Amino acid sequence: MTEVLSQDEIDQLLTAINAGDTEPEDFRPAADTRKIKIYDFKRPDKFSKEQIRTVSIMHDTFARLATTNLSANLRSIVHLHVASVDQLTYEEFIRSIPTPTTLAIINMDPLKGNAILEIDPAITFSIIDRLFGGTGEGTKSQHELTDIETSVMEGIIVRLLGNLREAWSTVIDLRPRLGQIDTNPQFASIVAPNEMVVLVTLETKIGDVEGMMNLCIPYITIEPIIGKLSAQFWYSSVRRGTTTENLNILKDKISNASISVSAEVGSIQVTAKDVISLRIGDIVNLYNSRVDEPFSLNIGNKRKFLCRPGVIGKKIAVQIVKKIAEFEQDEFEELTSDETEILNG
């Protein structure tokens, strides 16, 4: 805080200056020590730190899915992880990638515009070598892809786009489609050179071969959903999406599950000798059951319903008359057990 001088102090300073004892230069204000951040108006930041962090989290999911996908398809150890997420101009991105390389132009429907998935040549030829039955070492000579190699890479990229759609599902129902594959960055002009893009760099390792995958998304493409890239929206979407997804999976699994259902007429404890001696036509007296009482319908080993016997056509059937509540199940089982012990006592 600036110190305020009293009137006496001001008078003393003026007297000293007039007498020549002090030079006016001695009273110059102290230099401003504040840190100044340089801002380039030709390259404005479009994404906030929070939005960049959300994009990084989304593509961490993509990296995990792509790792599993590529490992299964290549039958090799594959590892992907997000190395960095940066914002830069499209021209800087184009200058930073080698020639030739694998450039996949991706339609980002329902978003407007395209994105680019760039795959390092070392990774590209390692994938092709693995799919052609090789060890995945690739080739040292860099050349443009042949028609067969392009077709092979199209299949791999389409599978990766399925992983990308799943990773983005918490923000938007993205339906990415592969447009074309180029090898010369100069021919891949999806936006103006000075347009800002977000660049997701994925370190990729296939066996002993290492390289990079770069996903370049222009700001004008992602702008309509920029508000959804906040951490609060993303985490809330993850919770909702995960819950709904899990419920649907559980419903599908349960609907196709097989489980035993049995109608229990009654129960009695007998010796093993009596069981062995049973013959067709023998009558077993169930002391703890009455004719007018409903049966217990068991789902697995749990009593769930009360039912009455009957027939449908020529088939024996039961009719459910009541659902047994949980506390009634415990009581029902306990009473039956006690009665059985008394009867056998």
Side-chain angles (χ1 to χ4, degrees):
M1 184 176 65
T2 305
E3 184 179 356
V4 179
L5 300 178
S6 65
Q7 186 61 46
D8 291 339
E9 291 173 331
I10 294 173
D11 292 340
Q12 291 175 7
L13 287 172
L14 292 174
T15 302
I17 292 172
N18 292 331
D21 296 337
T22 308
E23 295 296 330
E25 287 78 3
D26 296 339
F27 300 99
R28 288 178 180 176
D32 192 351
T33 58
R34 291 178 298 176
K35 293 183 179 179
I36 299 174
K37 182 180 179 181
I38 298 175
Y39 187 84
D40 187 357
F41 286 93
K42 294 181 180 179
R43 182 186 162 182
D45 290 341
K46 297 286 189 177
F47 300 90
S48 67
K49 291 183 178 180
E50 183 183 23
Q51 290 163 350
I52 292 291
R53 185 163 53 250
T54 303
V55 171
S56 178
I57 294 172
M58 289 167 55
H59 289 90
D60 278 335
T61 303
F62 169 69
R64 290 194 299 271
L65 295 172
T67 295
T68 303
N69 187 353
L70 289 175
S71 297
N73 280 280
L74 303 182
R75 298 175 182 268
S76 178
I77 299 174
V78 180
H79 181 67
L80 280 80
H81 76 274
V82 177
S84 64
V85 178
D86 303 301
Q87 52 181 320
L88 64 164
T89 64
Y90 183 68
E91 182 180 17
E92 290 174 326
F93 163 66
I94 290 297
R95 288 180 177 178
S96 66
I97 57 180
T99 303
T101 187
T102 304
L103 289 172
I105 311 298
I106 302 168
N107 182 283
M108 299 290 281
D109 187 58
L111 299 176
K112 295 180 180 180
N114 298 320
I116 287 180
L117 177 64
E118 187 266 334
I119 304 177
D120 188 278
I123 298 299
T124 297
F125 290 110
S126 177
I127 291 174
I128 293 172
D129 188 59
R130 283 294 304 172
L131 293 177
F132 285 175
T135 59
E137 295 180 358
T139 177
K140 295 181 180 179
S141 61
Q142 304 297 329
H143 61 271
E144 294 189 2
L145 298 178
T146 64
D147 291 342
I148 295 177
E149 290 172 341
T150 301
S151 179
V152 169
M153 288 306 299
E154 284 179 356
I156 291 295
I157 292 170
V158 167
R159 292 186 180 93
L160 292 177
L161 294 184
N163 300 144
L164 185 66
R165 177 177 183 176
E166 188 172 350
W168 280 60
S169 61
T170 55
V171 174
I172 186 175
D173 183 17
L174 189 68
R175 297 184 295 277
R177 300 194 311 273
L178 175 61
Q180 63 186 49
I181 294 180
D182 289 325
T183 56
N184 192 333
Q186 302 303 321
F187 297 152
S189 180
I190 60 173
V191 289
N194 60 343
E195 286 288 342
M196 296 299 296
V197 299
V198 59
L199 181 64
V200 181
T201 301
L202 299 147
E203 286 189 0
T204 308
K205 187 175 182 180
I206 301 176
D208 296 328
V209 179
E210 298 183 6
M212 296 290 183
M213 284 190 189
N214 293 306
L215 180 61
C216 172
I217 308 172
Y219 175 78
I220 58 175
T221 298
I222 208 172
E223 185 178 13
I225 60 167
I226 198 70
K228 296 182 178 181
L229 296 181
S230 64
Q232 181 178 2
F233 177 88
W234 190 84
Y235 281 118
S236 62
S237 298
V238 168
R239 288 195 294 271
R240 291 197 302 270
T242 302
T243 301
T244 304
E245 181 182 358
N246 288 344
L247 286 175
N248 292 333
I249 292 174
L250 286 173
K251 287 179 181 178
D252 292 339
K253 294 294 184 182
I254 291 173
S255 63
N256 296 322
S258 298
I259 190 168
S260 61
V261 178
S262 60
E264 184 178 309
V265 179
S267 62
I268 187 173
Q269 290 187 353
V270 295
T271 62
K273 180 181 179 181
D274 292 336
V275 174
I276 295 173
S277 63
L278 286 174
R279 297 290 182 268
I280 297 175
D282 288 351
I283 297 175
V284 178
N285 192 349
L286 305 175
Y287 298 104
N288 61 333
S289 299
R290 297 179 56 179
V291 176
D292 57 346
E293 288 182 349
F295 297 168
S296 170
L297 186 65
N298 300 341
I299 308 297
N301 59 354
K302 286 285 186 180
R303 302 176 189 270
K304 289 294 182 181
F305 302 97
L306 296 179
C307 62
R308 295 189 181 279
V311 293
I312 296 179
K314 296 183 179 181
K315 296 182 178 180
I316 299 174
V318 293
Q319 180 184 33
I320 296 174
V321 295
K322 181 182 177 183
K323 181 179 180 180
I324 303 175
E326 292 186 6
F327 70 92
E328 291 178 334
Q329 293 176 29
D330 296 337
E331 182 181 1
F332 186 72
E333 291 176 3
E334 183 180 354
L335 289 174
T336 303
S337 177
D338 289 343
E339 291 172 356
T340 303
E341 291 180 4
I342 292 172
L343 289 171
N344 292 312

